Each structure stands twice: as structure tokens, then as C-alpha cells.
Amino acid sequence: MQELDTDNKTPTEVQSPVQDGSPKFGRLLLLLACAVALIVAITLGSQAYYTP
């Protein structure tokens, strides 16, 4: 037997969340910049610490 769908939603509303079409890469770019800065800081710090 088939069950009746009483939500009245179209298949596109059920499958994908609402998006405004513009990608948001700000947080990802900030995280990437922080990761690179951390790697640079570790590299420079270890060079200063281990260099006689």
C-alpha cells in the first residue's frame, strides 16, 4: 500500500536545502590562512630554536 504524503512539499524542497546561489568561501579562506600562518610560525620557531 502507498502512504499519502501530507507535507505538500515538492521533491526539490525535500532533497536540497534553500541556497541563495552565491558560494560562501570566507570561513574556509580564513581557516586556510590561519593554518598557513601556524605552519609558518612553527617553521620559524623551530629554526630559531634548533639553530646554534
Side-chain angles (χ1 to χ4, degrees):
M1 267 183 9
Q2 276 186 332
E3 295 181 14
L4 295 176
D5 186 15
T6 58
D7 289 343
N8 294 331
K9 291 183 179 178
T10 62
T12 55
E13 289 175 348
V14 173
Q15 291 176 356
S16 64
V18 177
Q19 296 178 354
D20 59 356
S22 62
K24 294 179 179 67
F25 295 118
R27 290 184 202 155
L28 183 61
L29 188 62
L30 183 63
L31 181 64
L32 181 63
C34 288
V36 169
L38 181 63
I39 291 171
V40 168
I42 290 172
T43 302
L44 293 176
S46 64
Q47 181 183 7
Y49 183 73
Y50 288 115
T51 303

